[in-house]
Each structure stands twice: as structure tokens, then as C-alpha cells.
Amino acid sequence: MQFLMDYCRNPFPDIKVACLSFIKSVCFHKWGLVALKNTAGFVEFLLDRKIEFDKEAKYKKFELISLLADTDVFDMQINLQLRTYVNEGPYFVQSILDIATEGN
């Protein structure tokens, strides 16, 4: 699974999309879900929105996360994070509010 994770971190969108599609097909099996759960950094990679710039890669990652959000492999905290990601959608961007004030 670490081999697949290395391909998911590849900067080329077509390779990344193909790897995410392959991981999605592995998730239809219980052994695949357990193997992905035990892969170091897998959940952090999925939930990181700052590393995807390609529209198709963002959507493939969203499909994978929505599939994982419906499973019972992960603990409750990770399931909550996955469901939050699904509710926000594939193209959600966290807004940062800056307020400038004048003062003496």
C-alpha cells in the first residue's frame, strides 16, 4: 500500500487519478480497507485539501473519501472527519478572514 501512496503523491494528474481509481477499487474488499487503514499517512493524505490542484484528481479523491465514509473500518473520529469532508464537497476552500484595525 505504501507503493500506491507514493504514486498518489506523484505530481502528474493522470498518474494520480489512475492510482486513486485503483485504490477505490481496492476499497470494495475488506482486506483492502484494513490494509489502507494500516498504511501510515493515508488518512492525512486524503483529508489534506492543499495538495490537489487538478479538478479531476480532486473529484477522484472525493469519490474515494465518500466511499470510505460509509464504511465502519475507521474509528469514530476519523469517520466524522471523512463525513465532514463529504458534506463540504470536493471543491471546498477554507476561507480566512482578516480584519484590519487602526489603533493608537
Side-chain angles (χ1 to χ4, degrees), residues 2-77:
Q2 194 61 42
F3 178 75
L4 293 175
M5 289 299 300
D6 291 340
Y7 270 103
C8 283
R9 291 185 177 103
N10 195 315
F12 301 108
D14 54 342
I15 295 173
K16 188 180 289 192
V17 167
C19 186
L20 288 171
S21 297
F22 182 74
I23 291 175
K24 182 181 172 189
S25 66
V26 167
C27 288
F28 288 110
H29 304 283
K30 185 71 172 176
W31 59 266
L33 290 170
V34 172
L36 288 173
K37 176 187 173 190
N38 295 330
T39 303
F42 176 69
V43 175
E44 291 80 10
F45 166 75
L46 284 180
L47 295 175
D48 189 8
R49 292 183 181 265
K50 297 175 185 170
I51 58 175
E52 300 299 336
F53 298 106
D54 186 57
K55 177 183 173 185
E56 192 174 351
K58 283 183 182 185
Y59 191 72
K60 281 292 179 188
K61 188 187 257 191
F62 175 75
E63 287 179 343
L64 178 60
I65 290 173
S66 61
L67 178 69
L68 292 174
D70 294 332
T71 63
D72 59 350
V73 173
F74 299 103
D75 61 357
M76 191 186 320
Q77 180 183 5

Side-chain angles (χ1 to χ4, degrees), residues 62-104:
F62 175 75
E63 287 179 343
L64 178 60
I65 290 173
S66 61
L67 178 69
L68 292 174
D70 294 332
T71 63
D72 59 350
V73 173
F74 299 103
D75 61 357
M76 191 186 320
Q77 180 183 5
I78 294 174
N79 258 350
L80 181 63
Q81 291 174 344
L82 293 172
R83 290 179 197 273
T84 302
Y85 192 103
V86 170
N87 289 337
E88 290 172 346
Y91 308 112
F92 177 77
V93 177
Q94 182 72 30
S95 62
I96 299 173
L97 181 63
D98 281 338
I99 299 174
T101 60
E102 283 187 32
N104 291 335

